[in-house]
Amino acid sequence: MFLTMKATRLYLFLHIVLTAAVQVNTFDPITTTVVIGIGATLGRTIYNYLHERCDSKWVAFNATGLKVDLQSKLVGQHIASRIILKAVSGFMRNDNPKKPLVLSLHGWTGTGKNFVSKLIAENIYREGMESSFVHVFTSTLHFPHPSEYPTYKSRLQQWIKGNVTNCERSMFIFDEMDKMHPGLIDSIKPYLDYYDKLDGVSYRKAIFIFLSNTGGDSIIKTALEFWKTGRNRDEIELKDLETSLSLAVFNNNQSGFYRTSLIDKNLVDFFVPFLPLEYQHVVQCTLAEMEARGLKPNKDVANKVAKDLVFFPKSERVFSVKGCKTIVSKLDYYT
């Protein structure tokens, strides 16, 4: 609908301008000036409509939308859903936050970390992940060479400063933190701290999201303990995971968070654990993917997809090794 409206307005604008151009020779100088003025005004209107800007028309938080999305689309993550909703809602309602919002999402692959980032972006920015104010860094793509880390640090600082200067409500997503060279992320520590301004730029309304598999083992250990004692996974609370998770992340010398000042100085607002997914969650993911493709949800097909995945422990087959990550390709095979 949005693209259709864009196209309609653009068509109308071009139609008016072209009509004016054809008729301009029949107008007197005053009329010609009026027509040109109208065309210029309409041109600015169309440009402003089509071109994303850092204002309330393009950047506006939808708290209800995020709540509904987390409840209906994020599978098996009651802890993450609750933390994300409260953290983002509280931050976006605050017109004068003391520091940027910093979230660190942890868990095994396929549990929903990237998906949550997408939901947050879609409920803040009109263009969602396609917004020019949402910036994604992937360690293996953007910071691949250890010999280049001094250059990466400088470029990263300049990139963040430039984009926050352009829009104070910018979002930065760092994927594959477990593959980032230790020490690199410390280069942006000043931007996450409690400063009103740095070199005339305020970073306090920006959002930083870190995605990592680091800490996943400690999360799984807790989930297995609950399962072995017959306790429901919904009984797991943040307090059961938070301390062990932050320690695991801080002390992992293979992670971009190793001994980082971001953790040492308590600049990460929330360590958000993503639990391993069970068979029932994989079925739900598959049904949701079918619906997203415009297919009629078929539980028999969803069960076939789920049974085709690898689970652990091997004998009990409780948790999916890759979460919901491979269901897209598996579904292609069964439909």
Side-chain angles (χ1 to χ4, degrees):
M1 178 61 71
F2 181 56
L3 290 176
T4 301
M5 291 175 66
K6 277 186 178 180
T8 301
R9 290 195 179 188
L10 183 58
Y11 170 80
L12 290 173
F13 167 64
L14 292 174
H15 175 73
I16 292 171
V17 172
L18 288 173
T19 300
V22 171
Q23 296 177 347
V24 71
N25 289 331
T26 66
F27 295 154
D28 57 57
I30 295 178
T31 306
T32 301
T33 301
V34 171
V35 170
I36 294 174
I38 292 173
T41 301
L42 287 172
R44 286 192 297 272
T45 301
I46 296 299
Y47 176 83
N48 289 338
Y49 183 83
L50 297 178
H51 187 264
E52 186 180 26
R53 293 184 298 170
C54 188
D55 60 28
S56 59
K57 291 183 179 179
W58 296 91
V59 184
F61 179 54
N62 183 353
T64 301
L66 180 60
K67 180 178 180 179
V68 170
D69 283 347
L70 289 171
Q71 290 177 343
S72 62
K73 297 179 181 180
L74 182 62
V75 175
Q77 303 297 349
H78 66 283
I79 300 175
S81 179
R82 183 168 60 248
I83 296 173
I84 294 294
L85 181 60
K86 289 184 177 179
V88 176
S89 296
F91 180 75
M92 293 301 296
R93 282 197 299 262
N94 189 349
D95 289 330
N96 189 31
K98 299 299 182 182
K99 64 180 290 296
L101 176 63
V102 183
L103 303 174
S104 192
L105 316 186
H106 298 268
W108 272 21
T109 184
T111 52
K113 301 185 296 296
N114 281 284
F115 184 61
V116 160
S117 302
K118 177 175 177 288
L119 294 182
I120 294 173
E122 288 177 344
N123 285 286
I124 294 178
Y125 306 95
R126 185 172 176 177
E127 296 288 273
M129 290 296 291
E130 299 301 316
S131 171
S132 59
F133 309 131
V134 176
H135 314 281
V136 181
F137 301 94
T138 303
S139 294
T140 53
L141 176 63
H142 295 101
F143 318 114
H145 307 297
S147 61
E148 296 293 324
Y149 281 122
T151 301
Y152 294 153
K153 287 182 179 181
S154 176
R155 288 178 180 174
L156 187 56
Q157 290 172 338
Q158 292 172 11
W159 183 255
I160 291 176
K161 180 179 179 179
N163 282 291
V164 174
T165 300
N166 184 44
C167 183
E168 61 182 359
R169 285 292 188 185
S170 291
M171 179 186 291
F172 301 92
I173 301 171
F174 291 83
D175 198 4
E176 298 183 343
M177 282 297 298
D178 48 299
K179 296 180 176 65
M180 182 180 287
H181 187 276
L184 176 57
I185 202 63
D186 276 344
S187 65
I188 69 168
K189 183 260 182 187
Y191 305 140
L192 276 58
D193 214 329
Y194 293 83
Y195 294 114
D196 287 339
K197 289 185 178 181
L198 291 170
D199 294 330
V201 180
S202 173
Y203 298 86
R204 293 181 299 163
K205 291 187 178 181
I207 297 177
F208 293 82
I209 302 177
F210 301 104
L211 313 180
S212 177
N213 293 342
T214 305
D217 290 344
S218 66
I219 296 171
I220 288 172
K221 181 181 178 181
T222 299
L224 276 173
E225 288 174 352
F226 270 71
W227 174 75
K228 288 177 180 178
T229 56
R231 299 173 67 184
N232 193 301
R233 69 185 276 125
D234 290 339
E235 296 178 38
I236 303 175
E237 298 180 15
L238 179 61
K239 65 181 181 180
D240 298 313
L241 297 162
E242 191 170 29
T243 301
S244 60
L245 177 57
S246 60
L247 288 174
V249 172
F250 186 70
N251 292 315
N252 188 322
N253 60 9
Q254 301 299 316
S255 167
F257 277 129
Y258 178 61
R259 305 291 183 180
T260 177
S261 61
L262 272 62
I263 296 177
D264 191 41
K265 300 300 182 181
N266 298 309
L267 298 180
V268 177
D269 297 300
F270 294 96
F271 289 94
V272 186
F274 281 69
L275 300 172
L277 298 181
E278 300 177 4
Y279 182 93
Q280 59 175 319
H281 302 127
V282 176
V283 171
Q284 291 177 43
C285 288
T286 307
L287 292 172
E289 177 62 22
M290 295 177 75
E291 188 172 357
R293 295 187 185 189
L295 302 174
K296 182 178 180 181
N298 186 318
K299 198 162 186 177
D300 290 335
V301 172
N303 277 303
K304 289 180 180 179
V305 171
K307 289 176 182 177
D308 203 24
L309 300 185
V310 179
F311 289 80
F312 71 95
K314 289 185 178 180
S315 56
E316 294 88 353
R317 287 175 55 85
V318 182
F319 301 120
S320 171
V321 172
K322 295 184 178 180
C324 288
K325 195 173 186 67
T326 60
I327 63 168
V328 173
S329 57
K330 297 290 184 183
L331 188 57
D332 289 335
Y333 176 77
Y334 285 106
T335 55

